[in-house]
Amino acid sequence: MNILIKTLLILILFIPKGLAQTKGDIKNIKEEYSSITKLLEQDKLTALALENKCNSNGQTEAFLTFYYNNDNLVHIQHTYAEGHSSYTNHYYINDNKLFFYFSEHESWRWDYEGTPKEQGFTNEIWTYDEQRIYFVKEVPIKCLRKVYTEKSVDQPNKGETTLSEAKKNKEVDCDKNSMKLILKKYQLLLTFQKSTTQNICDISFE
């Protein structure tokens, strides 16, 4: 009985503290993210942009942009577009450490079944997959994901709130292998700052 009581006391003392610390970390991350986003929107960051046409027909493109606040790297945006799909990864950085990662994958297909034959043109169905990861000292503390679809025929009828804003995130496990790949990719992208002749089309989105 004494062992059970001691165990319960330990749980009571330490679990809330850990939860409070995580909430505090996430609050700080959101504040830093908002600060960088505001600077981006106000065009107050210095940008180093790289762009490549990855094939002869222009259907595949890659973009890589580094954003600096004074001389400090605060944001990296990497986009790869091919055919009906595009991938964009955002890396938010503070004191040379990745603290927030946001990825967007969007793809579209023709809505042959849902389009009236008399319409004269075919509607589109867009699918979106978003991932958000909070890091503390480059260790993930919270992972979120949302997946949703949108039809082009519905877009003119929607209000000011986007579907992404209306759709709630779902908390998911922070898969260790996925986290390692994200951090590895982040370290790889950093090397392109000093060697801008590298082919950004070769950067994998796995």
Side-chain angles (χ1 to χ4, degrees):
M1 182 64 71
N2 289 335
I3 295 176
L4 179 59
I5 292 173
K6 288 180 180 179
T7 302
L8 289 173
L9 286 173
I10 290 172
L11 290 173
I12 292 171
L13 288 171
F14 289 98
I15 289 181
K17 182 179 178 181
L19 290 173
Q21 184 176 357
T22 300
K23 287 182 179 180
D25 289 330
I26 290 174
K27 180 182 177 182
N28 292 336
I29 290 169
K30 287 182 176 180
E31 289 175 352
E32 185 64 26
Y33 165 83
S34 296
S35 176
I36 294 173
T37 300
K38 186 175 181 179
L39 291 172
L40 279 167
E41 292 173 347
Q42 295 175 344
D43 198 24
K44 291 185 176 180
L45 298 177
T46 303
L48 169 63
L50 308 176
E51 178 181 350
N52 275 90
K53 301 287 186 182
C54 301
N55 59 10
S56 57
N57 60 19
Q59 293 298 307
T60 305
E61 298 177 295
F63 307 88
L64 178 60
T65 308
F66 299 92
Y67 294 91
Y68 303 85
N69 185 16
N70 297 321
D71 292 327
N72 299 313
L73 179 65
V74 294
H75 183 225
I76 302 173
Q77 179 173 320
H78 179 215
T79 299
Y80 183 86
E82 182 175 18
H84 290 194
S85 295
S86 68
Y87 302 80
T88 301
N89 293 342
H90 303 264
Y91 303 80
Y92 292 84
I93 302 140
N94 183 23
D95 196 22
N96 297 316
K97 295 288 185 182
L98 177 66
F99 71 86
F100 185 65
Y101 170 84
F102 171 43
S103 70
E104 305 170 276
H105 174 212
E106 59 181 53
S107 60
W108 67 274
R109 58 184 173 85
W110 298 113
D111 184 16
Y112 294 110
E113 295 181 359
T115 302
K117 292 182 179 180
E118 65 275 12
Q119 182 167 280
F121 61 92
T122 307
N123 297 324
E124 302 164 358
I125 298 177
W126 288 81
T127 300
Y128 302 89
D129 189 341
E130 301 178 2
Q131 186 179 22
R132 292 165 172 82
I133 303 172
Y134 299 80
F135 289 91
V136 172
K137 297 181 180 178
E138 298 192 346
V139 175
I141 61 170
K142 188 174 184 178
C143 296
L144 302 172
R145 188 180 181 188
K146 69 170 72 173
V147 180
Y148 57 97
T149 59
E150 182 177 30
K151 292 187 176 183
S152 59
V153 68
D154 296 329
Q155 291 177 354
N157 303 319
K158 67 184 181 181
E160 294 182 0
T161 301
T162 66
L163 193 57
S164 176
E165 293 169 334
K167 183 74 174 178
K168 291 185 178 180
N169 287 296
K170 180 180 179 181
E171 188 163 358
V172 296
D173 291 335
C174 297
D175 179 71
K176 290 183 179 180
N177 291 329
S178 297
M179 299 304 107
K180 287 180 180 179
L181 288 174
I182 289 170
L183 290 169
K184 183 178 180 180
K185 169 81 171 295
Y186 164 63
Q187 292 296 330
L188 172 63
L189 293 178
L190 292 177
T191 66
F192 282 77
Q193 297 175 93
K194 298 180 180 179
S195 181
T196 56
T197 59
Q198 295 184 74
N199 188 355
I200 61 175
C201 294
D202 295 335
I203 303 174
S204 172
F205 261 88
E206 295 180 356

